[in-house]
Amino acid sequence: MTKPRGKARWNIALLMGFGILINYIDRLSISVTQTPLSQEFGLTATEFGILSSAFLWSYAIMQIPSGMLLDRFGVKKIWGASAVLWFIASVLTAVASGAWIIVLARVLLGVAEAPAFPGAMKATGLWFPRHERGLCTAIFDSGTRLANVVGLPLIAFTVATWGWREAFWVQAALSLVFLAAFVWKYSGPAAKLHKKAMTAEEYKYIVDGGASSESVRPKSDLATVGYLLRQRKVWGLSLGLAGAGYVLWMLLTWLPGYMQKSMDQSILQSGIYAAVPALAMFISELTIGGWWVDRVIGRGANADKVRKGVIVVGMLVALLTVGAAFSHSATTAIIWIAAGSAGIALVYVTSNSLPALIAPEGSAGSLAAIVNCVNLLAGVAAPIATGMVVDITGSFAFAFIIGGVALVGGLLSYLFLMGRLEPIPARAVVHDDAIA
């Protein structure tokens, strides 16, 4: 298809990437504050692991309800309300007088950010033709990597200069900036066209390229979720991503602590080193998982084989993270972790593009939420299991080996459960212009 005049769709992709960036700064800042926060409240490694995972408890539980809300009310209303709660959760953490208040704030943050990825995936289906969704997914998913490249050093600098509470005031301010930008700039393609904020040529390009309908939603949200849960393809994708998700969340919550404890680094050093794997992921997903995949498929390659091939290669490369278990220097460890993280990025960016491609009409939010929920159950386990392993063994070596086992399980799920990447037949739907 000939590229149209107008770049409204790419502005939406950048806006979603900015939102995911703020999301991940909110999530990751707790890992950088581990040492001063644990000292102030007298926390063991296991207790800090529980505190770190509190976000994931509610985040995982709220995935499916948030997907249903997105399919019923649309991205703008749900993401807008969520951003307000991001701000409140950050403020609560900044003023906390005890660890239990931080746990409550993390649980609230999990509720608030649950619609983030399902919403971004749903918006991708609404705003992009099928052959451009790889790069769009890479753009919004890159916010997770930039949070490490930009956010972790920023938070580490704030903690080292002023203190851990000030770091959460910074992220509260960032949440307000995003909220203002989102309310101002986001709407569906039809609304953009009506406001003359995009060209008719670009709108036609999006619709003719297989974009999802803005007004279609499932007739019954619960029945649709039950239907999706009976699909083998959904479980293959979900369990596969969970294998990569276990290692990703282990790194997100424990990498700065690992560098501080095992490699005797300062808080600021650990924040800088932790940015290296994120930079590798950022480059990997934008160049290979985004631009290259879309380019090859756009030239006529078999889309199913290309996307599945990238996932398998990514999982194999991700196994390089196990090399950190046998490393004795910070440089060697971060090289192994960065190489493996590049593979994890390929798995994530490709898997995150699939819900909008295979979901029944009007159900992309619910399918994305199911996938993210299963993935996050592994994420809930990772910080706690890692903390327990460190307390018992005094080392992170076995934690990285356990991550390798999770990756092998995920690879087998992709290979033997997911099947062909084709749309799942739709159940009963209704047309509701109010959600457009």
Side-chain angles (χ1 to χ4, degrees):
M1 298 176 65
T2 304
K3 296 291 176 70
R5 288 185 304 107
K7 299 179 180 179
R9 66 196 188 283
W10 296 112
N11 291 334
I12 293 297
L14 290 171
L15 180 63
M16 291 190 295
F18 181 40
I20 297 297
L21 168 65
I22 304 305
N23 261 233
Y24 265 72
I25 292 176
D26 291 350
R27 302 174 196 191
L28 298 178
S29 55
I30 198 76
S31 66
V32 181
T33 63
Q34 176 188 349
T35 299
L37 192 150
S38 296
Q39 289 174 349
E40 179 167 338
F41 296 117
L43 303 177
T44 66
T46 298
E47 288 170 338
F48 181 79
I50 294 172
L51 185 148
S52 297
S53 71
F55 162 82
L56 289 171
W57 306 341
S58 55
Y59 188 65
I61 290 170
M62 287 301 296
Q63 283 301 301
I64 293 176
S66 70
M68 294 164 62
L69 289 171
L70 284 161
D71 286 338
R72 180 163 292 273
F73 297 108
V75 175
K76 184 160 189 172
K77 292 178 182 177
I78 301 304
W79 258 43
S82 295
V84 174
L85 295 179
W86 306 348
F87 168 75
I88 294 173
S90 296
V91 171
L92 279 177
T93 307
V95 301
S97 58
W100 67 273
I101 296 179
I102 299 179
V103 171
L104 290 178
R106 299 296 290 178
V107 170
L108 175 62
L109 186 66
V111 173
E113 296 190 349
F117 266 90
M121 295 179 207
K122 184 175 180 68
T124 299
L126 297 173
W127 268 97
F128 283 83
R130 296 175 71 86
H131 62 280
E132 286 186 346
R133 293 181 187 176
L135 183 55
C136 173
T137 304
I139 289 172
F140 79 68
D141 198 54
S142 67
T144 66
R145 320 310 165 202
L146 287 175
N148 285 274
V149 177
V150 178
L152 283 186
L154 172 64
I155 297 299
F157 175 78
T158 304
V159 173
T161 306
W162 293 291
W164 68 267
R165 293 181 186 275
E166 285 72 13
F168 290 98
W169 284 114
V170 168
Q171 71 181 43
L174 291 173
S175 296
L176 284 180
V177 172
F178 170 74
L179 176 60
F182 182 77
V183 171
W184 178 36
K185 286 292 186 180
Y186 187 86
S187 65
K192 286 283 188 185
L193 180 65
H194 179 71
K195 296 175 183 176
K196 298 183 179 180
M198 71 183 298
T199 65
E201 183 182 351
E202 184 179 13
Y203 180 79
K204 185 176 186 300
Y205 175 78
I206 292 170
V207 173
D208 290 350
S212 304
S213 171
E214 295 182 70
S215 61
V216 172
R217 65 172 175 82
K219 187 175 182 180
S220 170
D221 298 314
L222 287 175
T224 297
V225 170
Y227 172 67
L228 292 173
L229 288 172
R230 295 193 296 272
Q231 305 301 311
R232 177 176 172 178
K233 190 185 307 293
V234 173
W235 283 104
L237 174 58
S238 301
L239 293 174
L241 190 59
Y246 181 94
V247 178
L248 178 64
W249 277 103
M250 179 182 73
L251 296 175
L252 290 177
T253 54
W254 276 105
L255 183 54
Y258 164 68
M259 301 305 291
Q260 292 166 27
K261 290 177 178 292
S262 297
M263 302 301 168
D264 197 29
Q265 290 193 324
S266 68
I267 293 175
L268 186 57
Q269 284 177 317
S270 70
I272 294 172
Y273 266 71
V276 176
L279 182 60
M281 296 180 81
F282 177 74
I283 295 171
S284 172
E285 69 181 2
L286 276 180
T287 57
I288 301 175
W291 175 82
W292 182 82
V293 167
D294 280 358
R295 184 177 178 84
V296 170
I297 292 174
R299 288 183 170 182
N302 185 292
D304 180 78
K305 290 182 179 179
V306 170
R307 291 188 173 108
K308 289 180 74 173
V310 169
I311 287 174
V312 171
V313 170
M315 291 295 276
L316 293 174
V317 173
L319 286 167
L320 294 176
T321 54
V322 179
F326 310 99
S327 300
H328 302 289
S329 73
T331 301
T332 303
I334 214 67
I335 288 173
W336 283 114
I337 293 170
S341 295
I344 292 174
L346 293 180
V347 175
Y348 258 76
V349 69
T350 308
S351 296
N352 284 340
S353 71
L354 297 184
L357 290 166
I358 67 174
E361 187 72 12
S363 303
S366 295
L367 194 151
I370 291 171
V371 173
N372 218 25
C373 180
V374 176
N375 169 31
L376 288 167
L377 292 176
V380 170
I384 298 175
T386 302
M388 292 177 65
V389 167
V390 172
D391 276 342
I392 293 171
T393 67
S395 168
F396 281 85
F398 284 104
F400 283 103
I401 293 172
I402 292 170
V405 174
L407 288 169
V408 172
L411 177 58
L412 294 176
S413 296
Y414 278 125
L415 289 174
F416 298 109
L417 290 178
M418 189 166 65
R420 289 184 56 82
L421 302 178
E422 56 192 9
I424 298 169
R427 290 176 60 88
V429 298
V430 296
H431 292 267
D432 184 356
D433 292 333
I435 65 172

